[in-house]
Amino acid sequence: MLTLTTALALSACSDVGGGTEADGDTLTMMVPLFGTAPDPQGEIHQAVEKLTGKKLSISWTPNAEYNEKVNVVLASDSIPDVMVIQDNKGPSFVQAAKAGAFWDLTDKLDKYPNLKPKSEQAWINSKTDGRNYGVYRVRPLLRSAVVLRKDWLDKLGLEPPKTTEDLYEIAKAFTERDPDGNGEKDTYGLILPKWPGTNFAASSPYNVIDVWFGTPNNVGMRDGKLVPEFDVPEFWEAQKYIKRFIDEGLVNPDWATLDTGRWNDPFVQGKGGIIIDVNVRAGELFDEFKELDRETYHEKVAMAGNLSLPDGRKFSYPFTGFNGIVAISKQRVRTEEQLDDVLRTLDRLAAKEGAILLNNGIEGRNFRVEDGYAVKINDQDPAVKVINNDVDFAFIQLGMTSSVGVAGDAYEWMRPSEAEKEWLEQRDELMNLDLQTAVHDPSLPVISQTAVERGATLNPIPTDARVKYLAGELTEEQFRAEIKRWYDSGGTQILAELQAGIAKIGG
């Protein structure tokens, strides 16, 4: 009888080809897919082949099942020439990389001008246990922001916040001063979702606020010892701040259960007025308001960056600067000469011409350039719709120096209103400003084997305790007891392993 695992493995083999040596004329790839798989005879696929000088055999794999499929492929003898690895810190990839399944590119990219890291911090963050087993796929290094209902601010005569105390006062005003003008007390300030992360440090609004108050970002050094975000004095100040919002009814009543997929709904529906998340959420909200009313949508959204404490100290919450890596198999790409050939191909994709092709499409066919921005054209033409699908939901996933949220050498898509254009400028200005006070996670380049083996059991302990504390179901003393349980159950060992790894790579 064929088991599910065996069936998946056979499917993986048939998708990406066997484990034979790479064919110099053909490049096999495995890439995540967010829509309909591109036709190999399609215009974008053919244009990418022409640019690279290679025939491309791409296994487009739906994103929802991508990591599972990657695990199956890594356990098989059919690793393709090139793979997008979304979780290069996960146990399957770590084990495969350490076993020699992928090329170590740590010291190999200097002679490829478009693959050489543009951001030292992102390059460090993308390491797997101290080594770089792929070219990182760029994402914004700092994109945390506060998004607010601009029409509510205007009606109440308020400015976007600069400090944590400003945010509290705005949330209070949004709750108590009838910002929608309907004469009823039916609004609230801050919209918090249930955060679905399995790790405590999961880029949630809670983590952003923690860092604003001066905690480490996940972990940090204090008095020569690595400590977690949730066990420093500043953490308790941050929790009291968040709890103040909850206890005073300044957040959505369903804050502990609201699905992140519905996070925008209260904002658009006029129930809540503040979201702490990534800056691109402002763009999503502009688009949602535009669908409701094209005449007034530009009046609805305002944005602020990371907030200072009332005393002027500022700590900003950064992201990793990457989203997975593009890794090269040693199973098929067996020699330095073959590796050089593959890297030259990737370098062409990362160059300006390749970045535009992967991120925008074909100039004059599906977009034109206006004032330095890309503008969609012919988008009612069925063939052009196919091009847009192939770019937006497939080939953009191969972007390394230009991709989602980072135009790089590609073109930023033009926004129609002045408010949106100002938002794009503000987004970049705030990012550059807040990077100066960013608190980076020093543990990102290293791996704790205990965390790999026991993280699924340990990670929920502080995460669940935080939610219960904020809900009033745990006292601070009980919360601290849960933190001690985390330490005693393996947390102490995790921190020791991370600290040793950081010291080893010179962090």
Side-chain angles (χ1 to χ4, degrees), residues 69-89:
K69 185 74 169 284
V70 165
N71 290 340
V72 172
V73 171
L74 292 180
S76 74
D77 63 351
S78 60
I79 299 177
D81 299 327
V82 173
M83 287 182 77
V84 171
I85 302 294
Q86 293 179 321
D87 183 11
N88 61 307
K89 318 285 186 176

Side-chain angles (χ1 to χ4, degrees), residues 162-443:
K162 293 182 179 179
T163 70
T164 53
E165 191 61 25
D166 291 344
L167 186 69
Y168 167 77
E169 294 296 343
I170 291 171
K172 193 173 183 67
F174 280 2
T175 305
E176 298 179 351
R177 291 175 53 193
D178 191 24
D180 59 358
N182 69 353
E184 299 180 18
K185 190 175 179 181
D186 57 357
T187 58
Y188 45 80
L190 181 60
I191 307 168
L192 289 174
K194 177 184 179 181
W195 202 255
T198 55
N199 295 322
F200 188 87
S203 303
S204 74
Y206 306 103
N207 299 123
V208 174
I209 293 172
D210 288 350
V211 168
W212 287 349
F213 274 78
T215 73
N217 179 359
N218 185 28
V219 295
M221 296 299 292
R222 295 286 174 94
D223 298 322
K225 184 179 179 182
L226 198 68
V227 296
E229 174 181 333
F230 49 80
D231 194 22
V232 295
E234 297 89 343
F235 175 77
W236 298 105
E237 293 303 312
Q239 303 326 293
K240 290 170 186 174
Y241 175 79
I242 299 169
K243 204 169 188 316
R244 186 180 180 192
F245 282 73
I246 293 170
D247 291 347
E248 295 183 16
L250 309 185
V251 305
N252 47 306
D254 60 347
W255 64 271
T257 58
L258 177 65
D259 190 285
T260 51
R262 294 174 39 239
W263 200 354
N264 288 350
D265 292 355
F267 194 99
V268 175
Q269 293 164 3
K271 297 177 181 178
I274 306 167
I275 290 177
I276 301 171
D277 191 36
V278 292
N279 49 27
V280 293
R281 186 166 292 277
E284 292 179 11
L285 290 163
F286 271 124
D287 291 340
E288 291 195 31
F289 280 118
K290 191 183 303 180
E291 290 184 11
L292 296 175
D293 186 350
R294 299 189 72 86
E295 298 298 319
T296 64
Y297 79 92
H298 60 282
E299 302 170 357
K300 306 291 187 182
V301 182
M303 189 174 75
N306 285 263
L307 303 182
S308 302
L309 292 171
D311 63 9
R313 290 178 299 146
K314 186 174 182 181
F315 308 97
S316 298
Y317 187 89
F319 285 70
T320 62
F322 80 104
N323 181 16
I325 61 173
V326 178
I328 301 172
S329 165
K330 268 193 166 183
Q331 190 180 86
R332 287 176 49 86
V333 182
R334 296 180 179 175
T335 67
E336 293 278 353
E337 291 75 19
Q338 290 175 325
L339 174 64
D340 184 58
D341 184 53
V342 173
L343 288 173
R344 284 198 305 268
T345 300
L346 295 181
D347 193 65
R348 293 187 198 105
L349 284 178
K352 182 172 184 176
E353 186 179 355
I356 292 170
L357 187 59
L358 297 178
N359 288 265
N360 304 121
I362 303 170
E363 186 173 352
R365 185 75 177 97
N366 70 305
F367 80 96
R368 69 175 186 273
V369 180
E370 185 177 313
D371 296 330
Y373 289 91
V375 180
K376 289 187 184 295
I377 58 175
N378 307 322
D379 57 359
Q380 296 307 307
D381 181 335
V384 171
K385 286 184 177 181
V386 171
I387 293 174
N388 290 333
N389 169 82
D390 291 356
V391 170
D392 296 341
F393 301 111
F395 276 97
I396 195 172
Q397 296 300 317
L398 280 171
M400 289 162 281
T401 54
S402 301
S403 193
V404 181
V406 180
D409 285 334
Y411 297 104
E412 188 85 61
W413 288 100
M414 179 174 279
R415 289 272 176 172
S417 70
E418 284 304 314
E420 291 169 279
K421 292 174 185 175
E422 290 174 6
W423 161 65
L424 287 175
E425 292 179 4
Q426 182 193 24
R427 181 194 68 183
D428 294 340
E429 289 171 0
L430 290 174
M431 178 184 70
N432 292 328
L433 175 66
D434 289 352
L435 274 172
Q436 298 173 29
T437 53
V439 180
H440 297 287
D441 178 357
S443 72

Side-chain angles (χ1 to χ4, degrees), residues 13-73:
C13 292
S14 65
D15 282 347
V16 299
T20 57
E21 190 168 344
D23 175 353
D25 296 325
T26 301
L27 199 65
T28 61
M29 310 177 95
M30 181 174 171
V31 185
L33 176 70
F34 289 79
T36 304
D39 184 340
Q41 300 306 312
E43 291 180 67
I44 291 294
H45 186 106
Q46 292 294 305
V48 174
E49 287 192 336
K50 182 178 180 181
L51 174 69
T52 60
K54 297 281 187 184
K55 295 293 291 182
L56 301 178
S57 175
I58 304 177
S59 170
W60 295 106
T61 305
N63 186 63
E65 59 192 61
Y66 192 78
N67 286 333
E68 180 183 0
K69 185 74 169 284
V70 165
N71 290 340
V72 172
V73 171

